[in-house]
Amino acid sequence: MKRILLVGAMLLLSGASYAAENYDFPFTDPFKATVFGTPAAYKADLPKDDEINREVLSLDIFPEREVPEVFWYQEEFEYSVVYQEKPAPLVFSIAGTGGKYNGGKMKALEKAFFKAGYNVISITSPTHASFIVAASESQLPGDLANDAEEIYGVMQKTLAHAKDELGDKLQVTDFYLTGYSLGGAHSAFISKLDEEKKVFDFKKVFLVNPPVSLYNSVIILDGYVESVGTAAVKQTIDSIFRRLGENVSHADRVELTPDFIYKMFVAAGVNDAELAQLIGLAFRLSSTDMIFAIDVMQNWGAITYKNHEISKHESISHSFARGAQVGFLTYFEQAMVPIAEEKDPSMDRTQMINRLSLTSLAGYLMSADKISVVTNADDIILASPDLAFLTKTFGDRAKIYPYGGHCGNMDEKVWVEHMLAFFAAEK
Amino acid sequence: MMNNMNHIRNALLVSVALLLGACSATPELEADAVEPMLPMPAPPADPDEKGISYSNDPWEGFNRRSYYFNAKADEYVILPIVNGYQWITPDIVETGVSNFFSNLGELTTFMNSVLQLKGERSATTAFRFVTNTTIGLLGVWDPATKMGVYKEREDFGQTLGHWGVGAGPYFVIPLLGPSSARDASGLLVDTLVFNAIISELDMKSEEELALTLMRAIDTRKNIPFRYYGSGSAFEYELIRFLYFNAREIAVKR
């Protein structure tokens, strides 16, 4: 039986343009890949933190906006810029759901691009509280086309601001664009918008593990929590901590490194069902943060008191407890759909789901030679028809690794080489 | 003399209790404020159960103010000093300084390993201290690790935990950060013992002060945590949750 499956898999693999040459990634299990990422030994050789020119800048995008006291630390919009101190192309990089400009994946991208001679501006996801509070006009993230317009505006403002701040250190020749996960989907919409507006006239656009249908992906990720319930997730987390504790107490040497933590997870026998719940929990934490920020900014009163100014020393644990019960899907059904219908009565739920999807850009994506996509055959956020859509739409501009989960392989050697080669190629 | 000490102690205890209890974390609601639409989930049946939103935190009002105060102290005083120190000090010297204080810290680990009757850990810690203090030139180098004898950490909070004392309420110590009632008392004991040992070295008081300051700077340097760095509105809750879990693991080891 195993052999038949193997032969079947090989036949399947030989049909598509699979990029397996020298690709060396240890986890063939997508949940492990997603949670643990690339172990140190398999990582591309990237510069250290202090070996790149990087500045964190902040910009007051809405000087007239009064930021609620509970968000006193988000008054300005923070972003990072990596600069070459000579004329060089610039890559705009967009974070994934709930991701900040300085997350691990964003920093790894910065280093790879710096080493290859690019400037970089890293932008926090529109789904992160920082963007909602300090950079968003609508303060209703999730509608990809609208998000793209807002990011496009923020890109122009941060670039002008960074040039002001850095002077000659930042000299830009051409523009490139990339984003991972939700930031990948955003990048596709931004590229389309840029075809009309031509502010940047991107040379190349690189989509990393994008969701094809945001709705499908959210159903999958939220499903990891919904299928068992929040009480069961809590028990799972407690149990994982307990088992980790037992194994740490028997370890020869305790080190706070990713590889050590992975070893402890293996020793504790954390299984795929539990890893899935961890992924679901991480997604739930992001969406709770997002819903809280929107709720505060819009005075909706969903998980906060309506008409109440939260003081900076006030407990908001109750809002967390309320918000963690629901996910992004509830936000979609209870907020995004009704608001969209109110704005445009001809819009219904199905159309809304289609709008939040790369399929709505299929014609553009098929013809846009400058865009390429990279993903993994086992990416957990892709529902069954999604991978086929990507290979069909992008053809040989789609690079699909056999495994790597969702964004787990982003700093593997061959992966990084491929990304840089795509940006460097003439075509 | 004894009487005076008792008076001072009582006065201290009363003021700490007042301080902790005085600040409230419950919302002061406006007249037209409306209860959130989503209901509050029922609290866990077991009152000892800890989660992200539900934890042993009766001093939350004080703790949140302390958390905020620490962020500001970090931003305006502590981190600039740490950065200045890192800027003027060559990396190799920084490592030497860290090793030096880490070696002094073995005294605390040794004492607490003994108090927990952990024979092997007491022996390896003593071996590390003797080796690093002699061959390692007062601990500036760490030859013991190269010999495969790894550093362990034990503090009095862990010792209390080892003998069955629960963590108690969450407690954000001003300037020092997240802790618990148990671990804060433990820290006090460790510090008193450490200072008693240091005073045996017969240093001048300004030398002792310099040593204490250097130790504080080195400690902060080695902690990558930044207040409000996650950007999450629920960072306070997440850190509280992680603190209790991490300490539970530390006690078990």
Side-chain angles (χ1 to χ4, degrees), chain A residues 176-405:
Chain A
Y176 292 75
L177 175 63
T178 191
Y180 69 85
S181 190
L182 183 62
H186 281 141
S187 297
F189 281 80
I190 295 168
S191 179
K192 171 104 189 306
L193 181 67
D194 184 57
E195 302 287 350
E196 302 154 29
K197 309 247 177 187
K198 294 277 180 203
V199 174
F200 298 111
D201 200 9
F202 294 114
K203 281 236 140 136
K204 294 278 178 65
V205 179
F206 189 63
L207 319 179
V208 179
N209 293 69
V212 169
S213 158
L214 187 54
Y215 184 79
N216 284 348
S217 297
V218 166
I219 295 244
I220 294 169
L221 291 172
D222 233 13
Y224 295 144
V225 172
E226 287 297 313
S227 60
V228 292
T230 43
V233 173
K234 196 185 165 306
Q235 274 172 14
T236 304
I237 304 297
D238 285 348
S239 157
I240 291 176
F241 268 116
R242 201 177 54 244
R243 280 140 61 203
L244 283 178
E246 272 151 27
N247 284 286
V248 168
S249 68
H250 296 120
D252 281 344
R253 182 187 187 182
V254 177
E255 302 159 282
L256 275 179
T257 60
D259 288 2
F260 174 77
I261 292 167
Y262 171 68
K263 235 166 56 188
M264 290 299 109
F265 266 75
V266 172
V270 179
N271 61 36
D272 275 5
E274 293 174 317
L275 290 176
Q277 288 178 40
L278 276 183
I279 295 167
L281 175 71
F283 187 67
R284 193 47 76 90
L285 293 180
S286 295
S287 65
T288 307
D289 258 335
M290 182 190 79
I291 291 169
F292 180 78
I294 299 167
D295 204 32
V296 168
M297 297 308 281
Q298 309 266 1
N299 189 23
W300 279 353
I303 60 172
T304 61
Y305 289 88
K306 196 177 169 69
N307 305 329
H308 165 58
E309 168 95 17
I310 305 171
S311 98
K312 65 176 171 255
H313 301 310
E314 185 177 318
S315 176
I316 50 171
S317 300
H318 75 96
S319 293
F320 182 87
R322 294 173 210 263
Q325 299 292 311
V326 301
F328 195 92
L329 213 53
T330 309
Y331 168 67
F332 174 77
E333 303 285 5
Q334 305 289 326
M336 285 176 70
V337 173
I339 288 171
E341 281 171 345
E342 203 180 284
K343 261 196 216 155
D344 176 4
S346 70
M347 176 75 81
D348 65 12
R349 193 173 160 280
T350 323
Q351 282 172 305
M352 191 68 185
I353 290 172
N354 288 334
R355 260 173 76 105
L356 309 183
S357 168
L358 291 187
T359 52
S360 68
L361 299 183
Y364 168 65
L365 296 175
M366 214 172 274
S367 64
D369 279 342
K370 64 173 162 188
I371 307 182
S372 113
V373 67
V374 60
T375 191
N376 303 313
D378 65 353
D379 188 341
I380 53 173
I381 71 161
L382 298 179
S384 46
D386 294 345
L387 193 65
F389 169 82
L390 290 176
T391 44
K392 200 179 105 212
T393 309
F394 288 91
D396 60 357
R397 290 176 288 121
K399 187 110 172 168
I400 290 143
Y401 293 97
Y403 39 81

Side-chain angles (χ1 to χ4, degrees), chain B residues 104 107 117 140 184 187 240:
Chain B
L104 284 183
L107 294 171
L117 307 181
V140 170
L187 183 66
R240 183 175 65 188

